[in-house]
Amino acid sequence: MKSIFDPVSIGSITAKNRLIRSATAESYAEGGRRLSGVKTRLYEDLAKGGIGVIITGMFGVDRNSGASPTMPKTGDDVFVPAMREIVDLVHSYDCKLVVQLVHSGAKGFPAEVGGQPVGPSDDTLVPDRPARAMTKAEIADLVESFARAAAKCKEAGADGVQIHGAHGYLISQFLSPHCNKRSDEYGGDIANRGRIVLELLEAMRRETGGDYPIWIKINGKDLVENSITMEECIWLCRELESRGLEAIELSAGLGFGRSTSPSKLIESVDDEGSFAPEALTMAEAVSIPVISVGGFKTPDVMDKWLNKGKIEAIALCRPLISEPKLAKRWQDGDREKARCISCNKCYRLKDGLKCHSFSE
Ligand SMILES: Cc1cc2nc3c(=O)[nH]c(=O)nc-3n(C[C@H](O)[C@H](O)[C@H](O)COP(=O)(O)O)c2cc1C
């Protein structure tokens, strides 16, 4: 029988339990400065709170990659020293840290004055801000940006990196036929739509020496018509596995509104594990660890999903915004479900990350 509190190996990262903090953007407001102070405390609280692995909020891989012009980026001057400080702190609590890397693509706000968002195709994902299709030269630059970003994370001592390939950001835009209308070798069937991810992984491995842990968060379905299919997602993940990917976090949704949100309303235990059936299917199809994310609140429900098949770990986001010390509470014997009511008010990031429904 598996339990959320078993020690586990996620690829070459060993963790003290199967509970992972899923990537959670902390704030868009203050850019790189946010890496010290408040952010350090946030990570210390999570690490103290008993979680096995923390995946950071998303970090942009180049100056035009942000979901806002001020989103933290791996190219910020403070990134390596400030991340090293966070990593050392997190390690002191026997917790591991994986940095999530993103390009926001057509959802983005390029830092360059007058910069236009780019995506796989000419498309508008942000009202009044039409995006244009990336050139092949820009795709090649993007691949190198991810590679450099991964190298910076390694330099900072992070245990690994996660490619944000979900939720309608650039990589997910390439993977989704809903967004990708290209007719060159980066559009069409999944071998073409997924080409960019295979190139990223190869470049990131080259730049980090070949054995640095690289994970992906990916949609099994986009929650729109003309979605990536589970068969396509499995095909791509098998290709990534054969090229050295170490873990898959299975999510869903292009994140364009409530119906496509990856963060669902959870009203009963039956709603928990929003995308766990897809994670279970993926775990049968690959040999690397699969992490299920979305809507988990109750320890017994998590244990149940772990024991239905080969899911290796459970990731949590909103419950840990409300209760950063949740894992410790459960481990100490109080197994009452997370208090999070999935109101999603925590998405209001302008004033920093916090639970708007409960205060300490
Ligand atoms: C405030 C907030 C910020 C988020 N930031 C990210 C992010 O940076 N990267 C990411 O992959 N997902 C992000 N997500 C999505 C979560 O990681 C997770 O996939 C989703 O909320 C479902 O998990 P949950 O039910 O445990 O919250 C965010 C969600 C919230 C509520």
Side-chain angles (χ1 to χ4, degrees):
M1 288 282 284
K2 287 187 274 181
S3 138
I4 48 174
F5 288 112
D6 300 333
V8 67
S9 295
I10 314 276
S12 51
I13 296 180
T14 53
K16 66 184 169 198
N17 60 46
R18 298 182 189 271
L19 290 171
I20 295 182
R21 188 275 203 143
S22 195
T24 308
E26 291 86 4
S27 170
Y28 294 156
E30 295 170 54
R33 292 193 301 285
R34 196 81 186 171
L35 267 175
S36 50
V38 173
K39 196 158 187 171
T40 309
R41 274 203 303 284
L42 173 85
Y43 285 109
E44 183 168 26
D45 278 354
L46 283 165
K48 250 192 210 169
I51 211 83
V53 180
I54 297 171
I55 305 174
T56 67
M58 53 188 175
F59 280 83
V61 294
D62 69 33
R63 61 190 299 257
N64 291 322
S65 59
S68 81
T70 53
M71 197 176 91
K73 319 244 171 33
T74 53
D76 294 335
D77 288 343
V78 297
F79 178 78
V80 171
M83 186 52 75
R84 187 174 290 132
E85 200 183 310
I86 292 172
V87 168
D88 289 346
L89 193 63
V90 163
H91 283 173
S92 74
Y93 293 99
D94 188 21
C95 179
K96 301 292 165 69
L97 186 131
V98 169
V99 179
Q100 190 185 56
L101 300 176
V102 75
H103 192 297
S104 304
K107 273 192 185 179
F109 286 79
E112 270 162 26
V113 178
Q116 187 180 8
V118 291
S121 311
D122 293 337
D123 208 347
T124 306
L125 300 184
V126 180
D128 303 328
R129 301 185 53 255
R132 63 169 177 80
M134 291 171 81
T135 63
K136 283 197 211 169
E138 286 171 328
I139 293 175
D141 283 349
L142 177 87
V143 167
E144 291 311 314
S145 297
F146 266 89
R148 275 194 301 276
K152 288 217 165 198
C153 296
K154 185 177 180 190
E155 189 187 339
D159 297 287
V161 289
Q162 183 185 57
I163 300 166
H164 193 351
H167 306 171
Y169 292 97
L170 183 62
I171 301 306
S172 161
Q173 289 159 21
F174 268 89
L175 295 178
S176 176
H178 181 85
C179 306
N180 185 341
K181 311 277 174 12
R182 295 180 81 95
S183 53
D184 64 4
E185 66 267 37
Y186 291 96
D189 64 11
I190 188 62
N192 279 358
R193 300 197 318 272
R195 186 180 305 280
I196 192 165
V197 193
L198 301 176
E199 290 179 356
L200 283 186
L201 181 64
E202 191 183 326
M204 290 163 82
R205 279 170 61 80
R206 183 197 68 221
E207 209 61 28
T208 55
D211 56 358
Y212 188 57
I214 302 175
W215 300 1
I216 195 167
K217 186 169 184 176
I218 193 166
N219 283 354
K221 55 186 177 186
D222 296 324
L223 306 178
V224 290
E225 282 190 18
N226 206 11
S227 162
I228 189 170
T229 65
M230 215 31 223
E231 292 70 28
E232 290 174 331
C233 186
I234 287 172
W235 180 88
L236 181 61
C237 286
R238 282 182 169 152
E239 291 294 316
L240 291 166
E241 174 181 4
S242 72
R243 290 165 169 81
L245 188 82
E246 290 207 354
I248 299 158
E249 185 181 1
L250 218 281
S251 189
L254 290 180
F256 298 152
R258 183 171 296 189
S259 64
T260 64
S261 170
S263 312
K264 296 296 176 212
L265 176 63
I266 307 302
E267 292 182 301
S268 76
V269 285
D270 296 334
D271 296 334
E272 291 192 37
S274 319
F275 317 119
E278 288 79 10
L280 211 52
T281 304
M282 177 61 75
E284 286 300 325
V286 296
S287 304
I288 51 176
V290 172
I291 302 158
S292 183
V293 64
F296 289 104
K297 286 168 62 165
T298 309
D300 290 349
V301 174
M302 298 177 212
D303 282 344
K304 187 187 85 185
W305 278 104
L306 285 173
N307 286 295
K308 277 192 184 196
K310 295 183 180 161
I311 293 171
E312 283 291 343
I314 302 289
L316 306 167
C317 166
R318 292 167 296 170
L320 293 170
I321 299 173
S322 188
E323 295 174 272
K325 305 213 170 85
L326 194 52
K328 187 165 184 322
R329 163 155 87 71
W330 290 334
Q331 194 152 33
D332 287 348
D334 173 3
R335 284 176 65 100
E336 180 60 30
K337 70 176 183 194
R339 69 182 182 182
C340 170
I341 53 168
S342 41
C343 65
N344 281 353
K345 290 181 190 157
C346 48
Y347 268 111
R348 296 178 198 157
L349 285 169
K350 285 218 162 55
D351 305 325
L353 182 65
K354 61 182 177 204
C355 176
H356 295 255
S357 291
F358 300 94
S359 51
E360 281 303 321

